[in-house]
Amino acid sequence: MPLPHPPQSTPAPSAAEEDMLFRLLRQVDTAPEATQRATAQALGISLGRLNTLLRSTAEKGLINISARDGPDKRQRYAYAITARGAALKNKLIDQFLKRKFAEYEALHAELTGTTSGLVPFKSRTQIMQNNLAPIPELYVSYDSAQKLKVEAADLVSWDLTPRQICDLELLMNGGFNPLKGFLSEEDYNGVVENMRLADGSLWPMPINLDVDEEFASKLEEGQDIALRDQEGVILATMTITDNWVPNKAREAEKVFGADDDAHPAVNYLHNQAGKVYLGGPVTGIQQPVHYDFRARRDTPNELRAYFRKMGWRKVVAFQTRNPLHRAHQELTFRAAREAQANLLIHPVVGMTKPGDVDHFTRVRCYEAVLDKYPQATTSMSLLNLAMRMAGPREAVWHGLIRANHGCTHFIVGRDHAGPGKNSAGEDFYGPYDAQDLFREHQDEIGIEMIDFKHMVYVQERAQYEPNDEIKDKDDVTILNISGTELRRRLAEGLEIPEWFSFPEVVRELRRTKPPRSKQGFTVFFTGFSGSGKSTIANALMVKLMEMGGRPVTLLDGDIVRKNLSSELGFSKEHRDLNIRRIGYVASEITKNGGIAICAPIAPYATTRRAVREDVEQFGAFVEIHVATSIEECERRDRKGLYKLAREGKIKEFTGISDPYDVPANPELSVETENVEVDNCAHQVLLKLESMGLISGSWA
């Protein structure tokens, strides 16, 4: 909901007043224990002027002043920056630097008669063109953070989702520079329509705090809220400046190229993200805690400091969300040689595409092959980014992020960050759309693109070469293994040749992805009430238990309702929640190598898809549509539920007063009319065998 605009009664402060306010806020943040005299000296003003400035700043809620006990009469008062003051300080940094840059340009022109040759300032702190110089962060000092934690404990708080935590971390540590917080409505509209913030700066991806309507309705303009992780730890505060309901269909069309739920980010946008967006500056209190691979996680400034220490003036970044194979090694070698640069392997370990190899496995794979690279010229750091799979826009976004991390070159792949096929079975983006858009904005991004070359193995020469540079294709044997083929070989336990990947990588992949016949999986029956789901599921459970080898658990709809969801009703919201609970339990069973058999009605396609994504992180998801007609289900109705629904005594009954989304592409559809249960269960077994999930060795 839009917030009312405040009355414009107070005149805007002058540049000198803004500079002084910025200096004061910075001084209070970095030296909260300093005496008044020391603070006045640091600012270059008198004690009287300082007192006036402190009072006016406190009245605006930017700092807190409290009495302090102690023998030192010079320290009668304690000063602490507030969340609002810290947010304003971060906002003023660019304006302060802009004015100082203008002063420098004027002095340079006066002394030399020429300009400095630096790129004009455009909000993105382009004075920091040097990839080794520090960039602004949104964190307050340690002392101020301790005080802000106490203040923030009394604020209304929002528990961040995993994607929001990724976004917040990169906002706070400068990875999303020049953003000072979640986008305002004006900035959001500019980004969606033309990849520009309101001030004209290039930024291709909406970064907003999405929340539910109930939470948003309680907020007021200018209100501070606390942002907590999923353990309840306060990571930051945010001052609410904007609160609105976005046009998500428009966002999908402009940012992702189509309002198509086959795109994982569009599906997230419509079916998982909150309906209301919040915008406003962020004040960082502490980084999100990561217990895994801590030595490999670097902020932009930590990487820049490392590059300074190592003397790296040119750095080419390699973006990846997949394990490294021999073709990737050759590609990165060539890219570094072409740019005459050092190499940063910079894999994403936040959120990637559903079905990708988990980041724990991937990082172990990366570490296993790091010694294949020259140690003095190669480094690896992990990026906690929530990818959107937005193709061309994502490539530009990745470039801006890598520039913030101190890189000077960036490898842009063929179909970079593409999500695969759309609902019509076609690629969402053209193979070179990402490279074309990146090239168009390369100068403004501040990083040079290196085209990803499709590397193939030439058997006769026993080496990888760019496919489009092979002149004698008719006379040599060209070998390649696609991602789909690799997954098939892993699933079936087939050989993966050494020319394709390193033995260390294959070993790690096999640890996580054993042959399908040894993995856990979920069989998910869906259909009308009375269609025969539970009966077939019971028969299947018995047959699988007879085979032995893996534990089998039946999650029947009625049983789950009684034991796991007894407090839920039958509204759409509650039915969705019930299915998500079933999906969570099934994913845990699958992860631990068991077989989960689920038999709910599960009428909604979006919820079934969400469960599929949960399960497929760990194993196969086999959707079985029990395609019994509504007429047959009503004829079988032993409980009299359909009769009560026809009479209006049961509300929101699937197939009568509430819709059922027929599965578009189930792994198997079974008919139960005039077919024995044993035959239906046998069809499912045959399907599981054809998918490699069970084998004769079980018997």
Side-chain angles (χ1 to χ4, degrees), residues 52-110:
T52 301
L53 191 57
L54 287 170
R55 281 195 300 272
S56 65
T57 307
E59 289 170 359
K60 295 173 183 174
L62 304 176
I63 64 172
N64 285 327
I65 303 177
S66 57
R68 174 163 36 194
D69 294 329
D72 192 342
K73 298 298 183 184
R74 297 171 301 174
Q75 291 185 292
R76 291 181 297 168
Y77 300 103
Y79 306 98
I81 193 168
T82 64
R84 192 168 305 180
L88 180 60
K89 183 203 75 172
N90 288 328
K91 181 180 178 182
L92 291 174
I93 287 175
D94 277 352
Q95 297 177 35
F96 180 82
L97 287 173
K98 182 178 181 180
R99 282 193 284 273
K100 292 303 171 186
F101 181 64
E103 291 172 11
Y104 168 78
E105 280 289 279
L107 181 61
H108 192 283
E110 179 182 340

Side-chain angles (χ1 to χ4, degrees), residues 478-542:
I478 295 175
L479 302 176
N480 190 31
I481 293 179
S482 67
T484 301
E485 174 63 12
L486 173 63
R487 287 189 292 273
R488 186 187 74 83
R489 290 181 180 228
L490 285 170
E492 297 180 15
L494 301 177
E495 178 194 4
I496 297 172
E498 284 201 29
W499 63 259
F500 175 77
S501 192
F502 303 99
E504 300 92 334
V505 171
V506 174
R507 189 158 51 246
E508 285 295 340
L509 291 175
R510 290 202 191 280
R511 283 177 59 196
T512 305
K513 295 285 186 182
R516 271 196 157 187
S517 60
K518 296 182 180 179
Q519 291 180 24
F521 62 90
T522 292
V523 180
F524 193 94
F525 290 92
T526 175
F528 292 121
S529 175
S531 60
K533 303 182 301 299
S534 298
T535 307
I536 301 171
N538 270 293
L540 177 66
M541 177 183 69
V542 171

Side-chain angles (χ1 to χ4, degrees), residues 5 43 63 67 124 131 168 172 175 194 225 236 256 280 306 346 379 390 436 457 515 528 579-580 587 626 691:
H5 294 287
L43 298 180
I63 64 172
R124 195 171 174 266
N131 69 306
L168 178 64
M172 295 191 297
N194 55 31
I225 64 172
F256 304 108
Y306 176 77
H346 208 202
S379 185
D436 292 342
Y457 187 74
F528 292 121
I579 301 305
R580 292 306 300 267
S587 70
V626 183
M691 295 175 68

Side-chain angles (χ1 to χ4, degrees), residues 378-413:
T378 305
S379 185
M380 182 176 79
S381 181
L382 309 183
L383 179 64
N384 196 45
L385 175 71
M387 290 183 66
R388 271 58 165 184
M389 309 305 298
R393 282 197 181 217
E394 184 108 2
V396 173
W397 191 40
H398 288 173
L400 290 166
I401 292 168
R402 273 29 184 254
N404 284 331
H405 281 78
C407 301
T408 57
H409 296 72
F410 183 54
I411 301 171
V412 179

Side-chain angles (χ1 to χ4, degrees), residues 14 116 133 385:
S14 66
S116 68
L385 175 71

